Amino acid sequence: MSISDLYSTGKHKQELGHFASVVKIAKTDGIISEGEQKLLDRTASRLNIDETEYTNVLKNPEKYPVNPPASYDERIERLYRLTKMVFADGQIDQKEVSLMQKIAVALQFPTDNVEKVCNEAIHLVNNDNDLDDFTAAIKKVNAI
């Protein structure tokens, strides 16, 4: 097995873990809405999640741990996707926000600042900021 095979396997495990986090938020209220389903489909496609993996993650997302990427920008991008899922059904649920905060801590955002980071993330997505603007604003709220 080559180094690139090991990297892609590790990277794919990170992607599966992230997809599972997105699924957890979608399933928080017990129903996956049409908007959530569309976002899950797009996210799975972007993350190269195949149909079997997709089905397995939907059945049991808790089986897949959060494996945060080393890159701060990639962690912010994951926060962006999580926040998009919070809005996918057209309403913000406090359970979704609480879960998002827990996942943000798992993504290595500091516990003492995670509420502020998540509130800013929600504000940014609510105002239709793109990923570049989102990243810049989160870096201001959570300077490292």
Side-chain angles (χ1 to χ4, degrees), residues 9 14 16 35 48 131 143-144:
T9 300
Q14 284 182 341
L16 276 171
N48 298 313
L131 180 58
I144 58 169

Side-chain angles (χ1 to χ4, degrees), residues 26-44:
K27 292 178 81 173
T28 299
D29 61 1
I31 301 167
I32 296 179
S33 71
E34 184 179 330
E36 289 169 330
Q37 187 65 54
K38 286 179 182 178
L39 187 55
L40 286 174
D41 292 345
R42 282 195 314 264
T43 301

Side-chain angles (χ1 to χ4, degrees), residues 63-122:
K63 179 181 170 186
Y64 301 88
V66 175
N67 295 310
S71 163
Y72 185 46
D73 284 350
E74 286 181 52
R75 288 184 278 139
I76 292 172
E77 182 176 349
R78 289 184 181 210
L79 179 66
Y80 180 72
R81 286 191 197 132
L82 291 170
T83 310
K84 293 286 252 183
M85 182 54 75
V86 169
F87 281 93
D89 63 359
Q91 48 191 317
I92 300 173
D93 182 281
Q94 187 54 44
K95 289 180 185 177
E96 291 173 332
V97 174
S98 294
L99 180 57
M100 181 178 133
Q101 290 172 348
K102 289 177 185 174
I103 296 168
V105 169
L107 288 172
Q108 300 178 346
F109 287 93
T111 55
D112 62 342
N113 198 31
V114 76
E115 189 173 333
K116 186 175 180 182
V117 168
C118 289
N119 286 342
E120 182 67 12
I122 289 168

